Amino acid sequence: MTSLNLDVKKLLKIAYEEALIGFNEGGVPVGAALLDSQGNLLGKGRNRRVQDDDPSVHGETAAFKNAGRQTCYTDKILVTTLAPCWYCSGLIRQFRIGTVIVGESQNFEGHLDWLREAGVEVIELNDVGCKVLMAKFIQQNPDIWNEDIGECGNHTHA
Amino acid sequence: MTSLNLDVKKLLKIAYEEALIGFNEGGVPVGAALLDSQGNLLGKGRNRRVQDDDPSVHGETAAFKNAGRQTCYTDKILVTTLAPCWYCSGLIRQFRIGTVIVGESQNFEGHLDWLREAGVEVIELNDVGCKVLMAKFIQQNPDIWNEDIGECGNHTHA
């Protein structure tokens, strides 16, 4: 319970600004930041699938990378504009990131309950700005969005 | 069921050679490769935590990155020297990688049943070479290994 005394909307703004830069670059507008328990920024980043032709960089993994090596994440806070996919949820769980602040889970539901069940503190902000930006991108670029979440209409598993 | 007609030991060798290079660089010796359904190499890579001071690059995510953007993964094969952690298991599940060949799951158990339950074909080879290399690294570098899997002795969740 690291984030209760922090201004979560202010932290979300760091992630949103990354998402907005990504949108203006033509990329998938998901931004994220990793912070310490006092809310100090350790690293931030955004999805870079389009910008770098790199499918491995989601907003959350970019923030994680840019924060550099940390010996422990249980007291860290990850803020992201969109509910994390399995890839990023797995990152959160493996490294035991203590708190996750989520801008919205309307455009992508993610696996927030799976994280909560593993003991992660998840705060969903239902943020209008995040919802509008993501919806706009998905509407304009459905193929890129589907590629980014592995939706290819040929599902062999859940 | 893409891999049944392939020489899985030959595919594992690609991943093992990456792991061995990583070991000789002083890095976490986990290697991986992404292949098409015919066993053609799309990309390979290894854990780069030590080499690049980059905590986001596990063997599996390196192979995924180096394979470049793919529109569909259901017919792809991921071969890795070690059972994937939650981060890499999440990657496999999100992108619906059809088949995963695992060198060993003795040094790290991973979440093979979770993947199987999601419909992933998982082949565990119980490979002696992979086991010996990984065990040697863990014995010599317990702190780096613990850092790589988020073990910091301060667990707030599962």
Side-chain angles (χ1 to χ4, degrees), chain B residues 119-145:
Chain B
V120 181
E121 180 191 19
V122 178
I123 300 167
E124 208 279 18
L125 296 177
N126 193 26
D127 182 81
V128 174
C130 290
K131 283 194 278 192
V132 169
L133 186 67
M134 196 68 221
K136 192 173 170 186
F137 179 84
I138 293 172
Q139 190 180 23
Q140 293 176 349
N141 307 275
D143 292 347
I144 297 174
W145 172 239

Side-chain angles (χ1 to χ4, degrees), chain A residues 54 65 69 72 118 152 157, chain B residues 54 65 69 72 118 147 152 157:
Chain A
D54 187 342
K65 175 194 178 85
R69 288 169 64 177
C72 200
C152 64
H157 61 80
Chain B
D54 187 341
K65 174 194 180 85
R69 288 169 64 178
C72 200
E147 185 189 307
C152 63
H157 61 78

